[in-house]
Amino acid sequence: MTASERDMRGGAAPAWAGESRIPRDPRLDGSVGLLREGYRFISDLCDSAGSDIASTRIRLRDVICLRGGSAVGLFYGAEGLTRVGAIPGSVLHLLQDRGSVQQLEGPEHRHRKALFLSIAMDRARVATLIEMFRDEWRAALPDWERQERIVLQQEAARVLTRAACRWTGVENQPEDRLADEIFDMIDKAGSFGPRNWLAQLRRVGTERRLSRLVEKVRAGEVVPDAATALHAVAFHRDAAGGMLPPEIAAVELLNILRPTVAVGRYITFLALALHREATWRELFRSGNLELAGDFAEEVRRISPFFPFTAAVTTRPLRWEGHDLPADQWLMLDLYGTTHDARNFPDPHRFRAERMLSWAGQDDCFVPQGGGDVATTHRCPGEMITVELMKEAIRLLCRDMDYEVPEQDLGVRLNRIPAQPRSGMILGRIRSRTGTEPSAAG
Ligand code: HEM
């Protein structure tokens, strides 16, 4: 809600304190607002302040919230920031975890990041992943045909887990269990209390299994293909020449497996967009897939996934005339930046004609962070994400027919991560290519 909307409703208009150059939220604490507004929290705060910077408190800790391209430049480029201590433990343990690349800075970070780039940004390796994803999807089709309906969000996570395990060389794992564990890491990262604790507990088990696998690889008991991530991570040497402790190697393996499975959430939003955009759906069904990349990129822009990122200053910084003291907690609005009408006219309308691309280095199109991928914390998985989504468009439009039965497709913006409420149910699935005969013959 903007300041003028608040005024119009006769509610308490925020009395922005004038003494600081950074507008301050008059509420004692913004935590309730964060729970209520979810993805819109920083944008609402900034709109009320009439600024792209505003300070508030979350769980009684002072935080400065920022949005827009210039703030992206600060988060992904400036020296004097760290991700350590910036993310609550409940989120950190389920996503990046301690000792991971995201918790490093400077030369150590660049060295570890190069490992991720060699795996996730190598076109040939990514093409292999896409092939495996296609195979696993097709292998699941006969089973989907037998069921009256499937929940795409769950099925996509399973298919992606199987493909990601084969691709990374993490074989002989209880894959359905792993799929559920990984799904929970993503799904429960934004919740507090027992649901989150349970997911953390399950993650400890996953990390232990992967850590033992790394030890077996080093002992020669398991010999992964040299082109796999398991091989690369197990034998990676840090800048000082030492191997990663097995538990850190396990965290980094999960840092490839988990977000690859997370692409399933974008695939769910993709199916929703195909359902709503009949003209595009028919174009793709006719076999014209030239613009599938534009469609996938607009799904990444418009769909709520990673709401914010956070950092802490390690020394005083100056940004756009504002002084940011040392040890200051900062939050950057990724969702708000990709939904800002100044950057994307009519931002809540799906328009694949925007022709966005992760390769464009646009500092406002930041669903997976911004800046130079090799030297900043920008996500190394954008190529994988978009290629998987393009393949999913092909599979959904060319390989199968399905119906979208009546269901609740509403998306609550105060649930992080968000999803269509139903998880996107598909019914009466029929293979179009006939790659696998259905049970019904
Ligand atoms: C579902 C799609 C994805 C989303 C929404 C996403 C989102 C993000 C975001 C916002 C960041 C930046 C965090 C920060 O600023 O500190 C990030 C970092 C990262 N992502 Fe992704 N990501 C996705 C897919 C992937 C994939 C497929 C991979 C790997 C195969 C991956 C691996 C990583 C890693 C390792 C980092 C840490 C990079 C660093 O600190 O230098 N992500 N991701």
Side-chain angles (χ1 to χ4, degrees):
M1 186 169 33
T2 63
S4 56
E5 280 166 345
R6 241 183 265 240
D7 288 344
M8 279 161 63
R9 282 158 50 115
W16 293 100
E19 66 273 12
S20 161
R21 291 174 60 112
I22 299 177
R24 183 153 188 88
D25 185 349
R27 294 171 292 195
L28 184 64
D29 193 277
S31 307
V32 174
L34 176 59
L35 286 177
R36 199 178 44 226
E37 288 142 29
Y39 285 85
R40 290 206 319 263
F41 175 69
I42 297 182
S43 278
D44 282 2
L45 187 71
C46 285
D47 286 348
S48 302
S51 169
D52 286 335
I53 181 168
S55 74
T56 182
R57 294 210 288 178
I58 305 288
R59 294 173 144 203
L60 301 176
R61 182 180 177 193
D62 271 316
V63 59
I64 295 177
C65 299
L66 304 109
R67 67 176 175 185
S70 169
V72 170
L74 172 75
F75 266 72
Y76 296 92
E79 304 264 309
L81 291 180
T82 175
R83 264 45 176 183
V84 175
I87 305 171
S90 56
V91 182
L92 181 71
H93 293 312
L94 286 184
L95 298 184
Q96 296 285 340
D97 217 346
R98 281 187 220 292
S100 73
V101 61
Q102 203 236 13
Q103 298 286 289
L104 304 175
E105 295 300 331
E108 232 189 317
H109 170 259
R110 282 198 289 278
H111 186 83
R112 183 86 61 84
K113 190 69 177 277
L115 167 68
F116 282 91
L117 299 186
S118 72
I119 297 166
M121 297 209 51
D122 178 301
R123 285 213 170 265
R125 282 193 191 216
V126 174
T128 307
L129 170 64
I130 303 308
E131 251 170 60
M132 292 173 171
F133 170 60
R134 184 185 312 135
D135 290 350
E136 295 295 343
W137 185 291
R138 285 183 173 164
L141 254 177
D143 192 37
W144 294 351
E145 284 183 289
R146 277 191 289 272
Q147 299 178 43
E148 201 177 316
R149 41 180 63 187
I150 62 157
V151 178
L152 182 65
Q153 183 166 283
Q154 276 163 20
E155 294 301 320
R158 289 197 183 133
V159 164
L160 283 162
T161 304
R162 284 182 212 127
C165 282
R166 272 175 65 196
W167 183 60
T168 52
V170 176
E171 309 221 42
N172 300 322
Q173 291 286 314
E175 277 176 7
D176 280 348
R177 185 165 128 206
L178 186 63
D180 291 346
E181 288 166 354
I182 294 180
F183 184 85
D184 266 7
M185 290 175 207
I186 303 152
D187 198 59
K188 308 294 183 289
S191 53
F192 297 97
R195 277 162 24 112
N196 178 282
W197 301 332
L198 194 63
Q200 284 196 49
L201 201 69
R202 295 181 82 190
R203 173 162 174 146
V204 172
T206 324
E207 284 188 14
R208 257 195 224 128
R209 287 202 310 275
L210 292 179
S211 171
R212 272 202 298 273
L213 180 62
V214 168
E215 284 171 331
K216 283 185 182 167
V217 170
R218 287 179 183 165
E221 292 166 35
V222 170
V223 184
D225 190 296
T228 59
L230 175 59
H231 188 278
V233 172
F235 295 113
H236 173 75
R237 294 195 175 264
D238 63 22
M243 283 197 195
L244 298 176
E247 57 282 6
I248 302 294
V251 163
E252 298 299 35
L253 267 177
L254 260 183
N255 245 343
I256 297 166
L257 288 170
R258 188 204 62 254
T260 304
V261 175
V263 177
R265 229 162 247 269
Y266 272 147
I267 291 175
T268 306
F269 281 116
L270 182 77
L272 178 60
L274 284 171
H275 172 57
R276 290 185 172 153
E277 304 291 328
T279 313
W280 283 96
R281 187 174 67 237
E282 288 316 314
L283 179 75
F284 297 142
R285 278 173 64 82
S286 75
N288 186 343
L289 289 149
E290 223 173 284
L291 300 179
D294 293 352
F295 192 89
E297 293 287 24
E298 178 68 349
V299 170
R300 277 200 319 139
R301 185 194 69 79
I302 207 164
S303 310
F305 200 155
F306 229 87
F308 333 109
T309 188
V312 176
T313 55
T314 53
R315 58 178 164 79
L317 294 176
R318 215 170 150 68
W319 178 78
E320 299 273 325
H322 298 290
D323 287 319
L324 310 175
D327 206 25
Q328 171 66 53
W329 188 26
L330 306 175
M331 268 165 67
L332 171 69
D333 190 2
L334 297 175
Y335 179 79
T337 302
T338 56
H339 288 77
D340 189 329
R342 292 170 296 178
N343 312 326
F344 304 98
D346 211 353
H348 296 282
R349 238 188 92 205
F350 185 93
R351 284 183 48 210
E353 301 85 341
R354 293 180 209 269
M355 292 171 61
L356 300 169
S357 165
W358 62 270
Q361 296 284 321
D362 171 345
D363 55 10
C364 290
F365 177 50
V366 288
Q368 293 175 225
D372 173 32
V373 68
T375 54
T376 75
H377 289 287
R378 184 182 188 137
C379 178
E382 288 186 285
M383 185 198 287
I384 289 183
T385 304
V386 173
E387 292 305 314
L388 283 171
M389 290 172 76
K390 280 162 60 181
E391 184 58 28
I393 293 177
R394 219 193 52 71
L395 289 162
L396 284 165
C397 295
R398 298 286 296 161
D399 273 28
M400 58 198 263
D401 292 311
Y402 56 87
E403 288 174 6
V404 178
E406 205 160 306
Q407 59 192 291
D408 186 352
L409 290 170
V411 178
R412 264 175 48 208
L413 286 182
N414 60 358
R415 186 206 196 273
I416 298 175
Q419 62 175 75
R421 266 208 190 99
S422 60
M424 194 74 209
I425 298 169
L426 308 184
R428 296 174 63 87
I429 293 175
R430 290 289 170 263
S431 168
R432 272 183 108 185
T433 50
T435 43
E436 299 274 356
S438 76

